[in-house]
Amino acid sequence: GPGSYTVGTMSERFDCHYCRDPLQGKKYVKKEGRHCCVKCFEKFCANTCIECKKPIGADSKELHFKNRYWHDNCFRCFKCYTSLVNEPFMLRENNKVWCSNCTATEDAPRCKGCFKPIIAGDQNVEYKKMVWHKDCFTCSQCKQVIGAGSFFPKGDDFYCVSCHEHKFAKTCAKCKNPITSGGLTYQEQPWHSECFICSNCKKQLGGKRFTAVEDQFYCVDCYKECVAKKCAGCKNPITGFGRGTSVVNYEDESWHDYCFKCTKCARGLANKRFVCHNGKIYCADCPKRL
């Protein structure tokens, strides 16, 4: 390396070690105890610049690092060409030297949106080992910046809350607005909990017993009071709930199955032969005894 040879003008009688030309009065180089002319030094002894591949002559300034040599004007950043003499540097692949700024930029993570490096101090968004500049993280639908706001991932796309609601959220069967959370399903249709209510008292029916009549929903109490037929026997509503879910209908009147019985002997007549006499129901035998 530099310092392993000396350069001067010969005042004594010496010949070049290689070409044997006399050196007296000429510029010479002394290396490893041998005297040689400048031409032979460049041909046989000079180090080769790793950048330009030319010999580093005796008159050139030489820089070296880890057995690699450069002309001083060749020692510059591979990326931005800034001179690295007296500057911090890093030796990277293919023996190329980089300045500290270009090294930091090259090693920085790349934005998934613009593919440019995200350097220290840049605001960014990270998701599943991917990173974006904050302003590059945008909604796939409206293209507005999501930044640090809430979003919904769908495959390789990302949606803001508003676009996700309109594009993917289920729509309530009653109000036709998106269902963003909660809700319930009835007959394979989605509903907001606050939209699935009793048509009479307006109480929510989610998780409660109800009856559907001609696309209207009623809680048990309102169904009994407003909709259900009254039993011709006991005069109570026929709801279809609990005891007596079976109903007997005859000439515009209805009975609980347990209320449909013979007026005289009180025998249950559901699914049996009966006789109607003077508006009253009898078993097949009792009319004979009247």
Side-chain angles (χ1 to χ4, degrees):
S4 62
Y5 61 87
T6 58
V7 181
T9 302
M10 182 61 67
S11 60
E12 303 178 38
R13 288 183 59 83
F14 280 101
D15 294 336
C16 174
H17 176 76
Y18 297 98
C19 69
R20 298 303 178 183
D21 285 347
L23 296 175
Q24 190 171 15
K26 298 179 181 179
K27 195 171 185 178
Y28 77 98
V29 180
K30 182 180 179 181
K31 183 175 182 179
E32 297 176 354
R34 297 172 181 175
H35 301 81
C36 61
C37 65
V38 172
K39 185 177 180 179
C40 288
F41 173 80
E42 292 184 357
K43 184 176 180 180
F44 299 109
C45 303
N47 294 312
T48 301
C49 176
I50 199 170
E51 183 63 28
C52 70
K53 310 304 180 185
K54 295 179 181 180
I56 304 173
D59 295 330
S60 300
K61 291 183 179 180
E62 182 179 272
L63 299 173
H64 77 288
F65 178 72
K66 290 186 177 181
N67 295 322
R68 295 172 176 85
Y69 303 88
W70 294 263
H71 294 101
D72 63 338
N73 59 347
C74 289
F75 194 63
R76 56 188 179 179
C77 176
F78 173 74
K79 191 76 172 178
C80 68
Y81 302 106
T82 299
S83 174
L84 295 177
V85 178
N86 299 322
E87 296 293 336
F89 67 92
M90 178 174 288
L91 190 66
R92 295 175 65 89
E93 60 274 3
N94 299 322
N95 294 324
K96 300 299 183 181
V97 286
W98 294 57
C99 68
S100 56
N101 288 336
C102 289
T103 298
T105 300
E106 184 70 14
D107 293 339
R110 297 277 170 171
C111 173
K112 185 74 173 176
C114 67
F115 304 107
K116 295 179 180 179
I118 298 175
I119 60 177
D122 286 346
Q123 291 185 311
N124 61 79
V125 177
E126 293 186 31
Y127 177 74
K128 288 189 175 181
K129 298 183 179 179
M130 296 182 290
V131 61
W132 294 259
H133 291 107
K134 184 178 178 181
D135 291 340
C136 292
F137 191 61
T138 58
C139 174
S140 299
Q141 182 76 15
C142 67
K143 308 305 179 184
Q144 295 297 310
V145 174
I146 297 174
S150 299
F151 65 91
F152 293 88
K154 287 288 184 180
D156 293 331
D157 295 324
F158 301 90
Y159 296 89
C160 65
V161 174
S162 178
C163 288
H164 182 268
E165 287 180 358
H166 288 90
K167 188 174 181 67
F168 298 104
K170 294 180 179 179
T171 302
C172 176
K174 182 176 182 180
C175 70
K176 308 305 179 184
N177 291 321
I179 300 174
T180 57
S181 63
L184 51 87
T185 300
Y186 174 69
Q187 291 187 344
E188 300 183 355
Q189 287 186 312
W191 301 71
H192 289 112
S193 296
E194 58 271 22
C195 290
F196 196 70
I197 57 177
C198 175
S199 297
N200 186 59
C201 68
K202 309 305 179 185
K203 292 181 180 179
Q204 293 187 19
L205 298 176
K208 300 177 181 178
R209 297 170 69 185
F210 68 92
T211 299
V213 180
E214 296 180 353
D215 297 328
Q216 300 294 316
F217 305 108
Y218 298 90
C219 65
V220 173
D221 291 337
C222 288
Y223 179 75
K224 290 179 179 179
E225 182 69 25
C226 305
V227 182
K229 293 180 178 181
K230 301 300 188 291
C231 176
C234 68
K235 309 305 180 183
N236 291 320
I238 303 174
T239 63
F241 302 124
R243 180 172 175 246
T245 56
S246 297
V247 180
V248 177
N249 295 299
Y250 177 71
E251 292 187 353
D252 298 327
E253 288 190 303
S254 301
W255 290 261
H256 296 106
D257 60 348
Y258 55 83
C259 291
F260 192 65
K261 53 190 177 181
C262 178
T263 304
K264 185 171 180 63
C265 68
R267 181 190 303 174
L269 297 177
N271 299 317
K272 296 180 180 179
R273 293 177 62 192
F274 65 91
V275 176
C276 183
H277 181 68
N278 293 331
K280 296 182 179 180
I281 302 299
Y282 297 93
C283 64
D285 297 328
C286 284
K288 300 175 183 178
R289 303 169 185 163
L290 295 177

